Coordinates of all heavy atoms in Angstrom, one line a residue:
D108 N -33.8 -141.7 -275.9 CA -33.4 -142.7 -276.9 C -34.7 -143.1 -277.8 O -35.7 -143.5 -277.2 CB -32.8 -144.0 -276.2 CG -32.4 -145.0 -277.2 OD1 -32.6 -144.9 -278.4 OD2 -31.8 -146.0 -276.7
M109 N -34.6 -142.9 -279.0 CA -35.8 -143.1 -279.8 C -36.3 -144.6 -279.9 O -37.4 -144.8 -280.1 CB -35.5 -142.7 -281.3 CG -35.3 -141.1 -281.4 SD -36.6 -140.2 -280.7 CE -37.7 -140.2 -282.0
T110 N -35.3 -145.5 -279.7 CA -35.7 -146.9 -279.6 C -36.5 -147.3 -278.4 O -37.4 -148.1 -278.4 CB -34.5 -147.8 -279.9 OG1 -33.5 -147.6 -278.8 CG2 -33.8 -147.5 -281.3
R111 N -36.0 -146.8 -277.2 CA -36.6 -147.1 -276.0 C -37.6 -146.1 -275.4 O -38.5 -146.4 -274.7 CB -35.5 -147.3 -274.9 CG -34.7 -148.6 -275.2 CD -33.8 -148.9 -274.0 NE -33.5 -147.7 -273.1 CZ -32.4 -147.3 -272.6 NH1 -31.4 -147.9 -272.8 NH2 -32.3 -146.3 -271.8
G112 N -37.4 -144.8 -275.7 CA -38.2 -143.7 -275.3 C -38.2 -143.5 -273.8 O -39.2 -142.9 -273.3
R113 N -37.2 -143.9 -273.1 CA -37.1 -143.7 -271.7 C -36.0 -142.7 -271.3 O -35.1 -142.6 -272.1 CB -36.8 -145.1 -271.0 CG -37.9 -146.1 -271.2 CD -37.6 -147.3 -270.3 NE -38.7 -148.2 -270.4 CZ -38.8 -149.2 -269.7 NH1 -37.9 -149.6 -268.9 NH2 -39.9 -150.0 -269.8
L114 N -36.2 -142.2 -270.2 CA -35.1 -141.2 -269.7 C -34.0 -142.1 -269.2 O -34.1 -143.2 -268.7 CB -35.7 -140.4 -268.5 CG -36.8 -139.4 -268.9 CD1 -37.3 -138.7 -267.5 CD2 -36.5 -138.5 -269.9
T115 N -32.8 -141.4 -269.3 CA -31.6 -142.1 -268.8 C -31.6 -142.0 -267.2 O -32.3 -141.2 -266.6 CB -30.3 -141.5 -269.4 OG1 -30.3 -140.1 -268.9 CG2 -30.3 -141.4 -270.9
Y116 N -30.7 -142.7 -266.6 CA -30.5 -142.7 -265.2 C -30.2 -141.2 -264.8 O -30.7 -140.7 -263.8 CB -29.4 -143.6 -264.7 CG -29.2 -143.6 -263.3 CD1 -30.0 -144.2 -262.3 CD2 -28.0 -143.0 -262.7 CE1 -29.8 -144.1 -261.0 CE2 -27.7 -142.9 -261.4 CZ -28.6 -143.5 -260.5 OH -28.4 -143.5 -259.1
Q117 N -29.3 -140.6 -265.5 CA -28.9 -139.2 -265.2 C -30.1 -138.3 -265.3 O -30.3 -137.4 -264.4 CB -27.9 -138.7 -266.2 CG -26.5 -139.2 -266.1 CD -25.6 -138.7 -267.1 OE1 -25.9 -138.8 -268.3 NE2 -24.4 -138.2 -266.7
Q118 N -30.9 -138.4 -266.3 CA -32.1 -137.6 -266.4 C -33.1 -137.8 -265.3 O -33.7 -136.9 -264.7 CB -32.8 -137.8 -267.7 CG -32.0 -137.3 -268.9 CD -32.5 -137.7 -270.3 OE1 -33.0 -138.9 -270.4 NE2 -32.3 -136.9 -271.2
R119 N -33.4 -139.1 -264.9 CA -34.2 -139.5 -263.8 C -33.8 -138.9 -262.5 O -34.6 -138.5 -261.7 CB -34.5 -140.9 -263.7 CG -35.3 -141.5 -264.8 CD -35.8 -142.9 -264.5 NE -34.7 -143.9 -264.1 CZ -34.0 -144.6 -265.0 NH1 -34.4 -144.6 -266.3 NH2 -33.1 -145.4 -264.6
N120 N -32.5 -138.7 -262.4 CA -31.9 -138.2 -261.1 C -32.3 -136.7 -260.9 O -32.3 -136.3 -259.8 CB -30.3 -138.3 -261.1 CG -29.9 -139.7 -260.6 OD1 -30.7 -140.4 -260.0 ND2 -28.6 -139.9 -260.8
F121 N -32.7 -136.0 -261.9 CA -33.1 -134.7 -261.7 C -34.3 -134.5 -260.8 O -34.7 -133.6 -260.2 CB -33.4 -134.0 -263.1 CG -32.1 -133.5 -263.8 CD1 -31.8 -134.0 -265.0 CD2 -31.4 -132.5 -263.2 CE1 -30.7 -133.5 -265.7 CE2 -30.2 -132.0 -263.8 CZ -29.9 -132.5 -265.1
A122 N -35.2 -135.6 -260.8 CA -36.4 -135.7 -259.9 C -36.0 -135.9 -258.5 O -36.8 -135.7 -257.6 CB -37.4 -136.7 -260.4
G123 N -34.8 -136.3 -258.2 CA -34.4 -136.6 -256.9 C -35.3 -137.8 -256.3 O -35.4 -138.7 -257.0
N124 N -35.7 -137.6 -255.1 CA -36.7 -138.7 -254.6 C -38.2 -138.2 -254.7 O -39.0 -138.7 -254.0 CB -36.3 -139.0 -253.2 CG -36.6 -137.9 -252.2 OD1 -36.9 -136.8 -252.6 ND2 -36.2 -138.1 -250.9
K125 N -38.5 -137.3 -255.6 CA -39.8 -136.7 -255.7 C -40.7 -137.5 -256.7 O -41.9 -137.4 -256.7 CB -39.9 -135.3 -256.1 CG -38.9 -134.4 -255.2 CD -39.5 -134.4 -253.8 CE -38.7 -133.4 -252.9 NZ -38.4 -133.9 -251.6
F126 N -40.1 -138.2 -257.7 CA -40.9 -139.0 -258.7 C -41.8 -138.1 -259.4 O -43.0 -138.5 -259.6 CB -41.6 -140.2 -258.0 CG -40.7 -141.1 -257.3 CD1 -40.6 -141.1 -255.9 CD2 -39.8 -142.0 -258.0 CE1 -39.7 -142.0 -255.3 CE2 -39.0 -142.8 -257.3 CZ -38.9 -142.8 -256.0
S127 N -41.3 -136.9 -259.8 CA -42.3 -136.0 -260.5 C -41.5 -135.4 -261.8 O -40.4 -135.0 -261.7 CB -42.5 -134.8 -259.5 OG -43.0 -133.7 -260.3
D128 N -42.3 -135.5 -262.8 CA -41.7 -134.9 -264.1 C -41.5 -133.5 -264.0 O -40.5 -132.9 -264.5 CB -42.7 -135.2 -265.3 CG -42.8 -136.7 -265.6 OD1 -41.9 -137.4 -265.2 OD2 -43.8 -137.0 -266.4
H129 N -42.4 -132.7 -263.3 CA -42.3 -131.3 -263.1 C -41.1 -130.9 -262.3 O -40.3 -130.0 -262.6 CB -43.6 -130.7 -262.6 CG -44.8 -130.9 -263.4 ND1 -44.9 -130.3 -264.6 CD2 -45.9 -131.6 -263.3 CE1 -46.1 -130.6 -265.2 NE2 -46.7 -131.4 -264.4
V130 N -40.9 -131.6 -261.2 CA -39.7 -131.4 -260.4 C -38.4 -131.7 -261.2 O -37.4 -130.9 -261.1 CB -39.8 -132.3 -259.1 CG1 -38.5 -132.2 -258.3 CG2 -40.9 -131.7 -258.3
A131 N -38.4 -132.8 -261.9 CA -37.2 -133.2 -262.7 C -36.9 -132.0 -263.8 O -35.8 -131.7 -263.9 CB -37.5 -134.5 -263.5
M132 N -38.0 -131.5 -264.4 CA -37.8 -130.4 -265.4 C -37.3 -129.2 -264.7 O -36.4 -128.6 -265.1 CB -39.1 -130.2 -266.1 CG -39.0 -129.1 -267.2 SD -39.0 -127.4 -266.7 CE -40.4 -127.3 -265.5
L133 N -37.9 -128.9 -263.5 CA -37.4 -127.7 -262.8 C -36.0 -127.7 -262.4 O -35.2 -126.8 -262.5 CB -38.3 -127.5 -261.6 CG -38.0 -126.2 -260.7 CD1 -38.1 -124.9 -261.5 CD2 -38.9 -126.2 -259.5
N134 N -35.6 -128.9 -261.9 CA -34.2 -129.1 -261.5 C -33.3 -129.0 -262.6 O -32.2 -128.4 -262.6 CB -34.1 -130.4 -260.7 CG -32.7 -130.5 -260.0 OD1 -31.9 -129.6 -259.9 ND2 -32.4 -131.8 -259.5
A135 N -33.6 -129.7 -263.7 CA -32.8 -129.7 -264.9 C -32.7 -128.2 -265.5 O -31.6 -127.8 -265.9 CB -33.4 -130.6 -266.0
F136 N -33.7 -127.5 -265.5 CA -33.8 -126.1 -265.9 C -32.8 -125.3 -265.1 O -32.0 -124.5 -265.5 CB -35.1 -125.6 -265.9 CG -35.2 -124.2 -266.5 CD1 -35.4 -124.0 -267.9 CD2 -35.1 -123.0 -265.8 CE1 -35.4 -122.8 -268.5 CE2 -35.2 -121.8 -266.3 CZ -35.4 -121.6 -267.7
Q137 N -33.0 -125.4 -263.7 CA -32.1 -124.6 -262.8 C -30.6 -125.0 -263.0 O -29.8 -124.1 -262.9 CB -32.5 -124.8 -261.4 CG -33.9 -124.1 -261.1 CD -34.3 -124.3 -259.7 OE1 -33.9 -125.2 -259.0 NE2 -35.2 -123.4 -259.2
C138 N -30.3 -126.3 -263.1 CA -28.9 -126.7 -263.3 C -28.4 -126.2 -264.7 O -27.3 -125.7 -264.7 CB -28.8 -128.2 -263.3 SG -29.1 -128.9 -261.6
W139 N -29.2 -126.2 -265.7 CA -28.9 -125.6 -267.0 C -28.6 -124.1 -266.9 O -27.6 -123.6 -267.4 CB -30.0 -125.9 -268.0 CG -29.8 -125.1 -269.3 CD1 -29.0 -125.3 -270.3 CD2 -30.5 -123.9 -269.6 NE1 -29.2 -124.4 -271.3 CE2 -30.1 -123.5 -270.9 CE3 -31.6 -123.1 -269.0 CZ2 -30.5 -122.3 -271.5 CZ3 -32.0 -122.0 -269.6 CH2 -31.5 -121.6 -270.9
E140 N -29.5 -123.4 -266.1 CA -29.2 -121.9 -265.9 C -27.9 -121.8 -265.3 O -27.1 -120.8 -265.6 CB -30.3 -121.3 -265.1 CG -31.6 -121.0 -265.8 CD -32.6 -120.2 -265.1 OE1 -32.8 -120.6 -263.9 OE2 -33.1 -119.2 -265.6
N141 N -27.5 -122.6 -264.3 CA -26.2 -122.4 -263.6 C -25.0 -122.7 -264.6 O -24.1 -122.0 -264.6 CB -26.1 -123.3 -262.4 CG -27.0 -122.9 -261.3 OD1 -27.4 -121.7 -261.2 ND2 -27.4 -123.9 -260.4
A142 N -25.2 -123.8 -265.4 CA -24.2 -124.1 -266.4 C -24.1 -123.0 -267.4 O -22.9 -122.7 -267.9 CB -24.5 -125.4 -267.1
R143 N -25.1 -122.4 -267.8 CA -25.1 -121.4 -268.8 C -24.3 -120.1 -268.3 O -23.8 -119.5 -269.2 CB -26.6 -120.9 -269.0 CG -26.9 -120.0 -270.1 CD -28.4 -119.9 -270.3 NE -28.6 -119.2 -271.5 CZ -29.6 -118.3 -271.7 NH1 -30.5 -118.2 -270.6 NH2 -29.8 -117.6 -272.7
Q144 N -24.2 -119.9 -267.1 CA -23.5 -118.8 -266.6 C -22.0 -118.9 -266.8 O -21.3 -117.9 -266.9 CB -23.7 -118.5 -265.1 CG -25.1 -118.1 -264.8 CD -25.4 -118.0 -263.3 OE1 -24.6 -118.3 -262.5 NE2 -26.6 -117.6 -263.0
G145 N -21.5 -120.1 -267.1 CA -20.2 -120.4 -267.5 C -19.8 -120.2 -268.9 O -18.7 -120.5 -269.3
G146 N -20.7 -119.7 -269.7 CA -20.5 -119.5 -271.1 C -21.2 -120.6 -272.0 O -21.7 -121.6 -271.5
E147 N -21.1 -120.3 -273.3 CA -21.8 -121.2 -274.2 C -21.3 -122.6 -274.3 O -22.0 -123.6 -274.3 CB -21.8 -120.6 -275.7 CG -22.7 -121.4 -276.6 CD -23.0 -120.7 -277.9 OE1 -22.5 -119.6 -278.1 OE2 -23.7 -121.3 -278.7
M148 N -19.9 -122.7 -274.2 CA -19.3 -124.1 -274.2 C -19.8 -124.8 -273.0 O -20.0 -126.1 -273.1 CB -17.8 -124.0 -274.3 CG -17.3 -123.8 -275.7 SD -17.9 -124.9 -276.9 CE -17.4 -126.5 -276.3
S149 N -19.8 -124.2 -271.8 CA -20.3 -124.8 -270.6 C -21.7 -125.3 -270.8 O -22.1 -126.4 -270.4 CB -20.1 -123.9 -269.4 OG -20.7 -124.4 -268.2
E150 N -22.5 -124.5 -271.4 CA -23.9 -124.8 -271.6 C -24.0 -126.0 -272.6 O -24.8 -127.0 -272.3 CB -24.6 -123.6 -272.2 CG -26.1 -123.8 -272.6 CD -26.7 -122.6 -273.4 OE1 -25.9 -121.7 -273.8 OE2 -27.9 -122.6 -273.5
V151 N -23.3 -126.0 -273.6 CA -23.3 -127.0 -274.6 C -22.8 -128.4 -274.0 O -23.5 -129.4 -274.1 CB -22.5 -126.7 -275.8 CG1 -22.3 -127.9 -276.8 CG2 -23.1 -125.6 -276.7
N152 N -21.7 -128.3 -273.3 CA -21.2 -129.5 -272.6 C -22.2 -130.1 -271.6 O -22.4 -131.3 -271.5 CB -19.9 -129.3 -272.0 CG -18.7 -129.0 -273.0 OD1 -18.8 -129.5 -274.1 ND2 -17.7 -128.3 -272.5
F153 N -22.8 -129.2 -270.8 CA -23.8 -129.6 -269.8 C -25.0 -130.4 -270.5 O -25.4 -131.5 -270.1 CB -24.3 -128.4 -269.0 CG -25.4 -128.9 -268.0 CD1 -25.0 -129.5 -266.8 CD2 -26.7 -128.6 -268.3 CE1 -26.0 -129.8 -265.9 CE2 -27.7 -128.9 -267.4 CZ -27.3 -129.6 -266.2
C154 N -25.5 -129.8 -271.6 CA -26.6 -130.4 -272.3 C -26.3 -131.7 -272.9 O -27.0 -132.6 -272.9 CB -27.2 -129.3 -273.3 SG -28.1 -128.0 -272.5

Side-chain angles (χ1 to χ4, degrees):
D108 180 354
M109 296 304 281
T110 57
R111 293 187 340 221
R113 293 186 175 188
L114 297 180
T115 66
Y116 178 74
Q117 287 177 309
Q118 292 169 326
R119 286 193 308 269
N120 275 346
F121 280 118
N124 66 358
K125 306 296 184 220
F126 304 104
S127 166
D128 293 344
H129 296 295
V130 168
M132 183 284 307
L133 178 62
N134 190 11
F136 186 86
Q137 288 180 340
C138 290
W139 167 78
E140 280 188 310
N141 290 338
R143 189 175 186 210
Q144 291 175 359
E147 189 168 1
M148 278 311 296
S149 174
E150 175 187 16
V151 169
N152 289 337
F153 177 79
C154 288

